[in-house]
């Protein structure tokens, strides 16, 4: 896949955002792979798990393309709900939301990452328990419905100002984004912007 040769090492959010925008209109699979490279980082089983999603689901390219279309047209919560009904084997909430996050585009409500790190952060700092089993109501409550504030969170997350370099060059740290939740006005936004392991 030519896209892999063009991805920088290490890779940051802005790099993935640019890669997704470049290829998404033609093919959602390279966009998915770029998001997974960032999502798995240096974890050795990342390539295997990514390939398994694509090879064990003959309809994966179509599902990924439709999910990307829906997140851009209808917003993150709607796309999450659609993907919950059209699940791909081996693709869970944590990595599905990473893909949706990078496919997000204004003016639709962006998708935010929801993984174990975010779940733990919300439980510890916001006393809020959110599920990671495709529970659509939880995701709808988690993603901001205020479009302006939601886009501010999304924009901060894809900017190079947020520490986010991960993946192939540096070992992942097990902590959320270093900004206090109050900086974005709501713990949910800070946790969603952290999305996975950051350094």
């Amino acid at each position: 896949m030519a896209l892999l040769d063009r991805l920088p090492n290490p890779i940051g959010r802005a790099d993935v955002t640019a890669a997704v925008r470049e290829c998404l209109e033609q093919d959602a699979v390279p966009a998915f792979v770029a998001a997974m490279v960032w999502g798995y980082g240096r974890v050795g089983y990342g390539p295997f798990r990514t390939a398994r999603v694509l090879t064990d689901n003959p309809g994966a390219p179509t599902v990924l393309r439709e999910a990307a279309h829906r997140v851009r047209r209808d917003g993150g919560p709607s796309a999450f709900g659609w993907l919950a009904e059209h699940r791909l084997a081996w693709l869970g909430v944590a990595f599905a939301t990473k893909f949706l996050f990078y496919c997000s585009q204004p003016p639709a409500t962006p998708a935010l990452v929801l993984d174990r790190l975010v779940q733990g952060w919300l439980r510890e700092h916001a006393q809020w328990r959110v599920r990671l089993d495709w529970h659509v109501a939880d995701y709808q409550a988690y993603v901001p419905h205020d479009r302006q504030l939601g886009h501010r969170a999304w924009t901060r997350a894809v900017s190079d100002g947020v520490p986010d370099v991960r993946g192939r060059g540096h070992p992942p740290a097990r902590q959320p984004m270093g900004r206090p939740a109050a900086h974005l006005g709501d713990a949910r936004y800070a946790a969603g912007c952290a999305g996975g392991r950051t350094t």
Side-chain angles (χ1 to χ4, degrees), residues 45-104:
Y45 53 74
F48 167 75
R49 289 192 175 179
T50 301
R52 184 169 61 173
V53 170
L54 297 172
T55 58
D56 286 8
N57 296 282
T62 302
V63 171
L64 293 171
R65 184 172 57 249
E66 182 63 21
H69 172 70
R70 286 175 181 265
V71 75
R72 290 177 167 214
R73 185 191 68 195
D74 305 327
S78 177
F80 181 89
W82 183 86
L83 202 49
E85 294 178 2
H86 300 85
R87 291 184 210 171
L88 295 172
W90 311 113
L91 181 63
V93 168
F95 286 88
T97 57
K98 288 174 176 67
F99 172 66
L100 293 176
F101 171 81
Y102 282 111
C103 293
S104 295

Side-chain angles (χ1 to χ4, degrees), residues 43-185:
V43 176
Y45 53 74
F48 167 75
R49 289 192 175 179
T50 301
R52 184 169 61 173
V53 170
L54 297 172
T55 58
D56 286 8
N57 296 282
T62 302
V63 171
L64 293 171
R65 184 172 57 249
E66 182 63 21
H69 172 70
R70 286 175 181 265
V71 75
R72 290 177 167 214
R73 185 191 68 195
D74 305 327
S78 177
F80 181 89
W82 183 86
L83 202 49
E85 294 178 2
H86 300 85
R87 291 184 210 171
L88 295 172
W90 311 113
L91 181 63
V93 168
F95 286 88
T97 57
K98 288 174 176 67
F99 172 66
L100 293 176
F101 171 81
Y102 282 111
C103 293
S104 295
Q105 177 178 287
T109 301
L112 296 182
V113 173
L114 180 57
D115 59 13
R116 285 184 188 167
L117 182 67
V118 173
Q119 182 188 49
W121 195 95
L122 289 169
R123 186 171 50 248
E124 180 180 348
H125 297 285
Q127 294 74 52
W128 185 27
R129 297 187 181 275
V130 60
R131 294 162 52 177
L132 295 177
D133 61 353
W134 292 102
H135 193 254
V136 175
D138 275 11
Y139 193 74
Q140 289 174 337
Y142 161 65
V143 173
H145 288 283
D146 180 318
R147 290 187 180 202
Q148 184 176 5
L149 190 54
H151 283 299
R152 185 167 47 150
W154 182 79
T155 301
R156 287 177 190 268
V158 298
S159 75
D160 282 332
V162 176
D164 75 310
V165 174
R166 63 191 346 206
R168 306 176 321 177
H170 301 291
R174 299 292 294 174
Q175 56 185 329
M177 181 176 68
R179 298 174 188 262
H183 186 72
L184 295 179

